[in-house]
Amino acid sequence: PQGTHFYELLIAQPKLRFFELLQALSSCSPSVDELINALPPLSARYYSIASSPLSTPGKISIAFSVVKFTAPAILFPESKNVLRKERQLFGVCTNWLQDTNLKHVPLFLKRSEAFSLPVEPEKPLLMIGPGTGVAPFMGFLQHRAMQLNATSQSNLL
């Protein structure tokens, strides 16, 4: 569709923020209500549990990478003005998790029935991460170790 190329080039690729877009389009002056209604709600962030309920009953651990990257400077073609200098961008949730001093973090659980350990602890495992990262495998290995310790067996590498 028409305009897709310019949207990608001027807004999506440089990670243009909402207020920067308003700055660039100075003739656009929406009310505060219109701005609030135009902003999408912050979506839920999903993290895999990286611990076993056998080793830490009532508690969970998560593993995450803190999101930080550099966004390039933006030059708006019509005005030839530098809209924004190069800047650091930070992920909303991972930076909050890293910087928070809270001992308890609000959460909700989304169970995955298709991604679980076999019930029999003696069954060997071949773990391949389908985009999950290492967190569920950390929890699986911890869980398997607790199961095997309870039966005095060991097949962990």
Side-chain angles (χ1 to χ4, degrees), residues 82-101:
V82 173
L83 176 62
R84 178 188 75 208
K85 294 179 181 176
E86 183 178 273
R87 65 183 165 86
Q88 282 289 116
L89 290 180
F90 303 93
V92 174
C93 193
T94 57
N95 280 272
W96 179 81
L97 286 169
Q98 179 188 36
D99 296 339
T100 189
N101 291 324

Side-chain angles (χ1 to χ4, degrees), residues 46-51 60-66 94 97 132-139:
Y46 298 107
Y47 297 94
S48 296
I49 294 175
S51 58
I60 65 166
S61 296
I62 59 172
F64 60 90
S65 296
V66 178
T94 57
L97 286 169
T132 62
V134 300
F137 301 120
M138 292 167 62

